[in-house]
């Protein structure tokens, strides 16, 4: 609904009336939200953002479950609205490596529920795409529900069907923030008081975030697209007449008019050359990522003018005719001339360097910001996923549970608060955004690591680790050892227990990871846990607050440690935490590293009453995990504290000294061995490492990397938030009933009780391969009798148990031990069996001794 009179107040103001802003407004009002206002500085519906200059191609399949599901929801929504052309989509292979990749696409599509994915032989491709030169391709991947959205029509549909108030030609000039809360949106037409504000400004996200003092790491990048003059081979194709007649269109009308022309056959991709294509009536539209990244300074995005739309830059011919992409040998023109000979040397009816955005990790940005209560984001989202993410964000805002019609969704990969502190630096995120653009059609290897902008965050142990030839992987900006080359000598000791991993599964792995795993089981190892987070919760009501936000019983005695989950209003898992009570009014909450400080710390801070202080100690402490049969003997050499099991039992904590170093010692183990987590202020970290290292030389102490920890924790069935557990499952589904005490009151209890009473339909399952030691990769389908039941959440080889392990979620009737299933991975099918967990040391004898 469009109107002229700007209100002075509204419950919700959405800034940006493109695909995302309109979707959020539609879904909010569908859920019953009233008093929703949508603003845009451009005309409606052609605002000058990317929604109407985009060609609208929608390929749904992704390695990400969430990206795939949001894309599929979007296609269903827009098809029902009558603004989606379901032509199907074909991704071509011009190399054997790409054919292998397309097999992965089929596996992902099956895992995440896309209908009828199919690997095509060459002849089947050219039957559907007759202008493709069959000499240039080997085959393709076909998804029948892929297609193209008519962008202008879709925006008009939103405007006509959504009972929100839409205002074009209204520029937001400021966001009024008071006491950490959004109060009002200032525009060039007046001020609107509001309870909450949604930024759906994509190309202008950085600028609008700055109005509220929030650094949003979202980089605008130019992207080339052309529409050829009519081709003889396409004469007579359908043309949308008067598709944009009567609409106010900033800049060149030809671009918007061209994008309104529908395709008449499957949309296509040539990812080997970073290209895609679709018909536009009688012309062909050719899109190219095959050029050097053209990153735009977000402060210079500008506004519409009579000559151009704000997010459309002039076409740069050199990027079309020359090979400027760092990883591609052919220019876009050469590659297209070879693939689609009918387009060779044809003129162009429309050209553009259109702008859209990338984040440092290539994923969207959703949720309420930690810095400003009531300020929500729906950013870095394309047409392909816009309907789904609009639904997720609306549900999140209205019900507290991000979800699609299929159920709750995981948010760890998309949360606005996931970014590390340095990510807001403009130079950093522009560089990272350019890298993601460069990679968008590349085949990215498992465990791939960037080569530049490294060494940003290092623990106090970093120089010791360098001396030990650590292989560093980057995680949340931290340099984290994956394994240590200094442990290469251990490989010969355990070589008969470390199977070789070939092909895709073996990339960026080392047998040293297995050797470190086995050594830790037999001797003792030191693991750098500095990336993990500690959150101090203090105050007279700290115990009541923690009881309210934690699902387990938080009535702890001093020195007691408890594992718990933290749930949202829908009873699904916001976080898994370990809580220790150090004093009457002092607790320390520990959680994983990566994005945990920003997401979980911010959630605790925003929900704490005035009588409770929450301090997120990111980087304030450094931590060593000391684990293995010799851990007690080693640690006892460095401290006067009593470390006996009677005095320092499993799941307890103490303040002790290790040498001269003050430490909070927690009797915990993430690898299933005797041991401690040793937390100390960062400035003491180097000394803590040296003290333990020197005391343990004759006990066989070694460093261990994250690779060994991953395989060890899977043997023990320990969960990893963001991988095995996320906001898409509840504790019962995740196999964590011991983390719930229904005799207490906590956020999400009512929903959790309802779920328990109605029955748990899906639950976690531990699988082992029947006759193979190959490592299973995430996202690969788990099935029986041809029916896909789930997909691999996490997999690795269990060096202690001598079996390949995969974790999944299965329907309840298939999740019992002994059930036979199959896993498809890298074009092979593996027999697997559901097992009781944990596989290793089920009686916990090694931990509690």
């Amino acid at each position: 609904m469009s109107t002229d009179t700007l209100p002075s107040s509204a419950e919700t103001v959405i800034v940006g009336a493109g695909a995302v802003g309109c979707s959020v407004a539609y879904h909010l009002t569908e859920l019953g939200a009233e008093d929703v206002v949508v603003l845009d500085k451009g005309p409606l519906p052609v605002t000058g953002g990317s929604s109407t200059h985009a060609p609208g191609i929608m390929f749904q399949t992704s390695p990400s479950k969430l990206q795939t599901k949001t894309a599929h929801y979007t296609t269903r929504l827009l098809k029902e609205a009558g603004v989606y052309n379901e032509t199907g989509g074909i991704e071509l292979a011009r190399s054997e490596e790409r054919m292998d990749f397309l097999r992965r696409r089929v596996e992902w599509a099956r895992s995440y529920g896309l209908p009828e994915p199919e690997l095509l032989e060459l002849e089947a491709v050219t039957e559907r795409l007759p202008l493709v030169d069959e000499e240039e391709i080997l085959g393709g991947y076909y998804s029948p529900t892929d297609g193209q959205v008519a962008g202008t029509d879709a925006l008009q549909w939103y405007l006509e069907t959504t009972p929100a108030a839409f205002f074009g030609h209204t520029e937001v000039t400021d966001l009024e923030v008071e006491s950490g809360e959004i109060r009002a949106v200032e525009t060039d037409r007046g001020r609107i008081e509001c309870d909450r504000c949604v930024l759906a400004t994509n190309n202008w996200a950085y600028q609008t975030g700055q109005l509220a003092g929030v650094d949003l790491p979202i980089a605008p990048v130019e992207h080339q697209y052309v529409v050829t003059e009519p081709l003889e081979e396409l004469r007579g194709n359908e043309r949308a007449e008067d598709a944009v007649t009567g609409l106010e269109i900033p800049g060149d009308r030809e671009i918007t008019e061209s994008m309104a022309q529908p395709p008449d056959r499957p949309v296509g991709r040539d990812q080997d050359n970073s290209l895609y294509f679709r018909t536009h009536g009688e012309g062909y539209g050719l899109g190219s990522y095959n050029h050097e990244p053209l990153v735009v300074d977000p402060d210079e995005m500008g506004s519409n003018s009579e000559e151009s739309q704000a997010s459309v830059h002039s076409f740069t011919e050199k990027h079309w005719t020359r090979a400027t992409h760092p990883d591609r040998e052919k220019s876009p023109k050469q590659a297209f001339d070879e693939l689609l000979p009918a387009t060779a040397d044809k003129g162009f009816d429309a050209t553009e360097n259109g702008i859209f955005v990338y984040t440092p990790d290539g994923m969207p940005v959703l949720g309420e910001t930690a810095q400003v209560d009531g300020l929500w984001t729906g950013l870095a989202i394309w047409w392909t996923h816009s309907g789904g993410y609009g639904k997720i964000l609306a549900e999140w805002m209205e019900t507290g549970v991000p979800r699609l019609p299929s159920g709750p969704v995981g948010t760890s990969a998309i949360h606005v608060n996931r970014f590390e502190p340095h990510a807001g630096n403009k130079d950093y995120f522009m560089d990272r955004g350019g890298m993601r653009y460069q990679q968008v059609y590349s085949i990215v290897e498992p465990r791939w690591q960037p080569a530049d902008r490294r060494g940003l965050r290092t623990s106090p142990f970093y120089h010791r680790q360098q001396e030990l030839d650590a292989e560093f992987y980057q995680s949340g900006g931290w340099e984290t050892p994956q394994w240590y080359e200094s442990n290469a000598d251990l490989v010969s000791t355990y070589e008969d227990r470390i199977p070789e991993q070939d092909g895709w599964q073996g990339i960026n792995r080392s047998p040293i990871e297995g050797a470190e795993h086995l050594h830790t089981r037999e001797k003792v190892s030191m693991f750098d846990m500095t990336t993990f987070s500690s959150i101090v919760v203090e105050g007279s009501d700290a115990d009541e607050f923690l009881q309210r936000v934690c699902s387990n019983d938080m009535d702890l005695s001093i020195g007691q440690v408890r594992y718990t989950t933290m749930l949202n209003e829908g009873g699904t898992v916001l976080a898994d935490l370990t809580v220790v009570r150090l004093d009457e009014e002092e607790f320390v909450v520990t959680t994983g590293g990566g994005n945990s400080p920003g997401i979980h710390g911010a959630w605790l801070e925003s929900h704490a009453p005035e009588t409770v202080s929450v301090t997120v100690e990111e980087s304030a402490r450094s931590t060593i995990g000391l684990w293995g049969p010799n851990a007690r003997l080693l640690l006892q050499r460095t401290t006067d504290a009593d470390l006996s099991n009677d005095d320092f039992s499993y799941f307890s904590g103490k303040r002790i000294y290790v040498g001269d170093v003050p430490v909070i010692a927690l009797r915990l183990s993430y690898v299933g061995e005797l041991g401690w987590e040793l937390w100390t202020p960062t400035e003491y970290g180097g000394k803590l490492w040296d003290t333990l290292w020197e005391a343990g030389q004759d006990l066989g102490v070694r460093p261990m990397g994250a690779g060994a920890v991953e395989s060890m924790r899977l043997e023990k069935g320990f969960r990893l938030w963001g991988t095995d557990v996320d906001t898409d499952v509840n504790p019962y589904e995740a196999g964590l009933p011991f983390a719930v005490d229904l005799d207490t009151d906590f956020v999400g209890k009512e929903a959790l009780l309802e779920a328990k009473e109605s029955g748990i339909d899906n639950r976690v399952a531990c699988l082992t391969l029947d006759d193979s030691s190959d490592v299973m990769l995430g996202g690969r389908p788990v099935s029986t009798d041809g029916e896909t039941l789930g997909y691999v959440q996490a997999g690795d080889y269990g060096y202690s148990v001598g079996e390949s392990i995969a974790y999944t979620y299965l329907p309840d009737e298939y999740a019992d031990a002994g059930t036979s299933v199959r896993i498809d991975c890298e074009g092979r099918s593996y027999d697997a069996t559901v097992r009781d967990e944990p596989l290793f040391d089920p009686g916990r004898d090694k931990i509690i001794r």
Side-chain angles (χ1 to χ4, degrees), residues 273-540:
N273 292 287
S274 297
L275 306 174
Y276 63 94
F277 52 94
R278 76 165 178 93
T279 56
H280 290 250
E282 295 181 338
Y284 237 121
L286 312 175
S288 170
Y289 294 91
N290 187 355
H291 55 79
E292 62 185 336
L294 303 172
V295 184
V296 179
D297 186 325
D299 282 321
E300 298 177 5
M301 269 302 303
S303 299
N304 295 332
S305 69
E306 292 184 5
E307 293 76 28
S308 66
Q309 294 184 26
S311 61
V312 177
H313 284 191
S314 298
F315 183 72
T316 50
E317 187 170 351
K318 71 175 183 179
H319 293 109
W320 190 261
T321 59
R322 302 179 194 172
T324 63
H325 191 292
D327 305 320
R328 301 285 183 256
E329 295 181 357
K330 299 176 182 178
S331 70
K333 176 175 171 32
Q334 179 186 352
F336 270 131
D337 286 353
E338 295 170 352
L339 183 68
L340 297 167
T343 67
D345 300 320
K346 295 296 182 181
F348 300 144
D349 280 349
T351 63
E352 65 171 346
N353 278 20
I355 298 175
F356 56 3
V357 294
Y358 281 90
T359 58
D361 58 13
M363 291 295 285
V365 177
L366 269 77
E368 187 175 19
T369 65
Q371 299 91 334
V372 181
D373 291 345
L375 182 64
W376 293 77
T377 59
L379 300 165
I381 300 166
W382 302 354
W383 262 119
T384 305
H385 312 98
S386 58
Y389 282 123
K391 171 68 171 174
I392 288 169
L393 187 59
E395 290 277 359
W396 202 345
M397 295 172 68
E398 284 293 295
T399 70
V401 184
R403 63 185 301 131
L404 290 168
S406 57
V409 299
T411 58
S412 59
I414 61 171
H415 204 297
V416 62
N417 299 327
R418 73 184 184 272
F419 297 105
E420 53 269 18
H422 58 267
N425 175 47
K426 195 163 64 171
D427 286 344
Y428 176 85
F429 71 73
M430 287 176 64
D431 180 72
R432 278 285 188 262
M435 180 193 70
R436 292 297 175 182
Y437 180 91
Q438 179 178 323
Q439 285 183 324
V440 68
Y441 279 177
S442 297
I443 299 174
V444 181
E445 298 174 340
R447 299 185 180 186
W448 171 86
Q449 293 292 299
D452 60 350
R453 294 191 177 271
R454 298 295 297 269
L456 287 167
R457 309 177 81 183
T458 60
S459 79
F461 322 131
Y462 182 65
H463 296 297
R464 311 299 196 275
Q465 293 163 342
Q466 285 180 310
E467 293 168 359
L468 294 164
D469 292 326
E471 180 69 22
F472 290 104
Y473 281 15
Q474 194 176 75
S475 174
W478 289 97
E479 295 296 337
T480 303
Q482 188 72 11
W483 67 81
Y484 291 83
E485 289 293 336
S486 62
N487 288 329
D489 63 301
L490 293 174
V491 174
S492 60
T493 303
Y494 301 109
E495 59 185 347
D496 60 327
R497 300 170 66 184
I498 305 174
E500 185 175 349
Q501 298 296 329
D502 297 321
W504 199 246
Q505 288 108 312
I507 292 175
N508 295 324
R509 296 181 66 93
S510 171
I512 297 173
E513 296 168 280
E516 290 176 357
H517 171 136
L518 293 165
H519 175 84
T520 304
R521 293 271 189 242
E522 295 182 2
K523 299 287 182 69
V524 62
S525 295
M526 294 164 55
F527 175 62
D528 181 0
M529 295 179 62
T530 301
T531 61
F532 285 52
S533 305
S534 60
I535 303 168
V536 177
V537 180
E538 299 175 287
S540 57

Side-chain angles (χ1 to χ4, degrees), residues 562-623:
R562 182 150 292 157
Y563 177 82
T564 183
T565 58
M566 187 166 68
L567 310 180
N568 60 23
E569 290 85 344
T572 61
V573 181
L574 279 172
D576 66 331
L577 311 171
T578 302
V579 181
V580 58
R581 187 171 201 157
L582 294 178
D583 211 332
E584 285 297 329
E585 298 184 0
E586 180 185 4
F587 297 79
V588 174
V589 176
T590 68
T591 183
N595 52 23
S596 290
I599 297 175
H600 306 140
W603 197 90
L604 287 169
E605 286 178 321
S606 67
H607 287 77
E610 292 183 358
T611 53
V612 175
S613 168
V614 176
T615 305
V616 181
E617 295 189 316
E618 187 174 20
S619 308
R621 299 184 200 259
S622 55
T623 311

Side-chain angles (χ1 to χ4, degrees), residues 493-798:
T493 303
Y494 301 109
E495 59 185 347
D496 60 327
R497 300 170 66 184
I498 305 174
E500 185 175 349
Q501 298 296 329
D502 297 321
W504 199 246
Q505 288 108 312
I507 292 175
N508 295 324
R509 296 181 66 93
S510 171
I512 297 173
E513 296 168 280
E516 290 176 357
H517 171 136
L518 293 165
H519 175 84
T520 304
R521 293 271 189 242
E522 295 182 2
K523 299 287 182 69
V524 62
S525 295
M526 294 164 55
F527 175 62
D528 181 0
M529 295 179 62
T530 301
T531 61
F532 285 52
S533 305
S534 60
I535 303 168
V536 177
V537 180
E538 299 175 287
S540 57
D541 295 325
D543 52 352
E544 294 181 10
F545 168 63
L546 286 172
Q547 186 62 77
R548 177 65 181 153
V549 298
C550 293
S551 63
N552 213 338
D553 183 7
M554 289 293 107
D555 184 16
L556 306 178
S557 57
I558 293 174
Q560 192 173 4
V561 178
R562 182 150 292 157
Y563 177 82
T564 183
T565 58
M566 187 166 68
L567 310 180
N568 60 23
E569 290 85 344
T572 61
V573 181
L574 279 172
D576 66 331
L577 311 171
T578 302
V579 181
V580 58
R581 187 171 201 157
L582 294 178
D583 211 332
E584 285 297 329
E585 298 184 0
E586 180 185 4
F587 297 79
V588 174
V589 176
T590 68
T591 183
N595 52 23
S596 290
I599 297 175
H600 306 140
W603 197 90
L604 287 169
E605 286 178 321
S606 67
H607 287 77
E610 292 183 358
T611 53
V612 175
S613 168
V614 176
T615 305
V616 181
E617 295 189 316
E618 187 174 20
S619 308
R621 299 184 200 259
S622 55
T623 311
I624 292 175
L626 184 70
W627 298 316
N630 292 340
R632 178 180 284 116
L633 180 56
L634 192 163
L635 186 58
Q636 191 67 77
R637 291 178 176 182
T638 69
T639 183
D640 293 333
D642 187 347
L643 303 180
S644 66
N645 198 53
D646 290 339
D647 195 72
F648 204 155
S649 60
Y650 188 50
F651 262 72
S652 64
K654 291 182 184 181
R655 284 190 169 99
I656 68 172
Y657 289 94
V658 175
D660 296 328
V661 178
V663 164
I664 296 174
L666 305 181
R667 178 85 186 277
L668 301 173
S669 172
Y670 193 48
V671 298
E673 293 290 337
L674 173 69
W676 282 262
E677 294 179 5
L678 305 172
W679 298 71
T680 191
T682 297
E683 65 269 23
Y684 288 102
K687 186 62 175 177
L688 176 62
W689 180 284
D690 291 345
T691 301
L692 295 170
W693 187 257
E694 292 166 7
Q697 287 305 298
D698 64 323
L699 299 176
V701 69
R702 296 274 187 147
M704 68 182 296
V709 172
E710 175 67 4
S711 59
M712 296 179 81
R713 71 104 184 167
L714 286 176
E715 287 187 332
K716 280 297 295 179
F718 292 151
R719 309 296 190 247
L720 177 61
W721 191 83
T723 299
D724 317 313
V725 181
D726 209 322
T727 46
D728 55 349
V729 296
N730 65 46
Y732 296 120
E733 294 168 324
L736 302 174
F738 57 88
V740 176
D741 186 339
L742 293 175
D743 290 331
T744 66
D745 290 321
F746 52 85
V747 174
K749 178 181 177 179
E750 184 176 338
L752 190 61
L753 276 170
E754 184 178 336
K756 183 180 180 182
E757 290 169 2
S758 62
I760 303 302
D761 295 330
N762 290 275
R763 54 189 169 98
V764 75
C766 172
L767 310 177
T768 57
L769 301 190
D770 293 350
D771 53 9
S772 176
S773 59
D774 291 353
V775 169
M776 297 295 94
L777 300 176
R780 305 313 171 91
V782 178
S783 63
T784 184
D785 297 327
E787 178 187 1
T788 300
L789 305 175
Y791 62 93
V792 176
Q793 303 275 153
D796 211 323
Y797 187 75

